[in-house]
């Protein structure tokens, strides 16, 4: 159910990465008037493909998945929504994907009509949303390479690097060493996202641990001693920005 948090836009942890990143104080005040927080538990549907969607917004915390279901019931995960990512599309009242909370998720939601009006009146918001959309397009193209050409080990490493870079980017000085994080997906969900079997995912994660590239602390908690070493396992060559 929607609920209010005692959180001002100016104090939000995703403030400088989300759609509001370029807003001035006056624009933030406009956003304050049309926002509401929604909380979803792990496994709960945020939106069903094709159903009306009355809001757009940003992921404040947690991770959600985007997936499509084929006519025969097969499901393909096609994307992840991490903190600061935008959900929904202005000008379209539904989403082509099922959106599901992979962990406990908090969304900062904006009512669709007022937000679309704000886009027309506030160039800072429109420009930032366009930039985020183009970044998402680049990421989708990169992921085509991951799924189409990379080995199982490289796919696992690529996902871990992606999550680690996003986590560390919220620090004032992004870290490249001694990174500790909770994996946003179960190994079953990772297998769906990466196009691998569950056994292969578990085997490759365990092997990365035995090789000292990562250290495991339970099933979801990992320690990355050196991000550059992990990146070397992705097959990308030099580390991406």
């Amino acid at each position: 159910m929607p609920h209010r948090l005692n959180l001002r836009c100016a104090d939000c942890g995703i403030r400088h990465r989300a759609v509001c990143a370029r807003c001035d104080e006056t624009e933030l005040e406009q956003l304050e008037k049309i926002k509401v927080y929604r909380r979803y538990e792990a496994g709960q549907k945020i939106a069903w493909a094709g159903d009306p969607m009355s809001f757009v917004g940003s992921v404040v915390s947690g991770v959600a998945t985007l997936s499509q279901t084929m006519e025969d019931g097969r499901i393909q995960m096609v994307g992840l929504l991490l903190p600061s990512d935008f959900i929904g599309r202005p000008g379209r009242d539904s989403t082509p994907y099922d959106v599901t909370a992979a962990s406990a998720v908090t969304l900062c939601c904006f009512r669709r009509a007022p937000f679309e009006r704000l886009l027309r009146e506030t160039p800072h918001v429109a420009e930032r949303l366009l930039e985020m959309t183009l970044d998402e397009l680049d990421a989708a193209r990169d992921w085509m390479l991951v799924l189409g050409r990379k080995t199982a080990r490289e796919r696992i490493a690529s996902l871990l690097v992606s999550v680690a870079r996003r986590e560390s980017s919220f620090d004032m000085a992004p870290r490249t060493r001694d990174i500790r994080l909770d994996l946003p997906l179960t190994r079953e969900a990772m297998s769906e996202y990466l196009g691998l079997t569950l056994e292969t995912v578990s085997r490759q994660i365990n092997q990365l641990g035995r090789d000292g590239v990562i250290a495991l602390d339970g099933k979801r908690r990992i320690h990355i001693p050196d991000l550059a070493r992990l990146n070397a396992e992705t097959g990308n060559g030099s580390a991406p920005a």
Side-chain angles (χ1 to χ4, degrees):
M1 293 293 293
H3 63 287
R4 293 272 178 194
L5 297 180
N6 185 23
L7 181 65
R8 295 177 60 250
C9 288
D11 302 323
C12 181
I14 63 170
R15 161 76 174 85
H16 297 291
R17 295 188 59 88
V19 70
C20 53
R22 296 177 182 170
C23 291
D24 58 28
E25 287 300 321
T26 300
E27 293 163 345
L28 287 179
E29 289 176 3
Q30 292 178 274
L31 287 173
E32 290 273 10
K33 296 176 182 178
I34 63 172
K35 77 175 185 183
V36 63
Y37 291 95
R38 295 174 186 257
R39 175 79 173 180
Y40 299 87
E41 299 304 320
Q44 187 176 357
K45 275 288 189 291
I46 297 173
W48 293 92
D51 282 356
M53 190 171 173
S54 62
F55 67 91
V56 297
S58 298
V59 179
V60 177
S61 63
V63 178
T65 63
L66 301 174
S67 60
Q68 286 185 307
T69 302
M70 302 175 67
E71 290 185 0
D72 61 4
R74 286 177 292 169
I75 298 174
Q76 175 63 52
M77 193 184 303
V78 297
L80 295 177
L81 294 171
L82 303 174
S84 79
D85 283 343
F86 195 76
I87 179 174
R89 178 172 167 178
R92 178 182 291 176
D93 61 3
S94 65
T95 174
Y97 311 111
D98 289 332
V99 186
T100 308
S103 64
V105 170
T106 298
L107 297 181
C108 178
C109 301
F110 307 108
R111 288 175 286 124
R112 177 176 297 280
F115 185 81
E116 291 174 350
R117 183 168 60 251
L118 190 66
L119 280 181
R120 295 190 295 269
E121 299 172 352
T122 311
H124 287 161
V125 177
E127 290 170 1
R128 177 57 181 157
L129 184 58
L130 175 60
E131 181 180 60
M132 294 174 69
T133 302
L134 294 175
D135 286 344
E136 184 179 346
L137 177 60
D138 286 341
R141 288 168 173 165
D142 288 341
W143 205 246
M144 289 175 64
L145 173 64
V146 171
L147 297 181
R149 292 296 180 182
K150 291 192 176 185
T151 66
R153 184 181 177 100
E154 290 170 342
R155 295 185 197 187
I156 296 292
S158 295
L159 177 58
L160 296 181
V161 166
S162 177
V163 173
R165 287 189 182 280
R166 177 63 72 91
E167 288 282 337
S168 65
S169 70
F170 285 94
D171 297 335
M172 293 299 292
R175 290 167 292 146
T176 59
R177 293 181 178 275
D178 196 32
I179 299 173
R180 300 175 187 272
L181 54 84
D182 292 310
L183 290 176
L185 300 174
T186 64
R187 295 191 181 187
E188 291 85 352
M190 289 175 66
S191 69
E192 292 180 11
Y193 189 46
L194 296 170
L196 301 170
T197 65
L198 173 59
E199 293 75 12
T200 298
V201 169
S202 295
R203 184 168 60 251
Q204 294 298 331
I205 289 177
N206 292 336
Q207 187 61 54
L208 287 169
R210 287 192 292 270
D211 293 343
V213 181
I214 61 175
L216 303 176
D217 182 10
K219 290 186 176 181
R220 301 283 288 272
R221 185 75 174 171
I222 67 168
H223 171 218
I224 304 173
D226 184 353
L227 189 58
R229 184 181 178 191
L230 178 59
N231 187 75
E233 299 288 346
T234 67
N236 289 338
S238 60

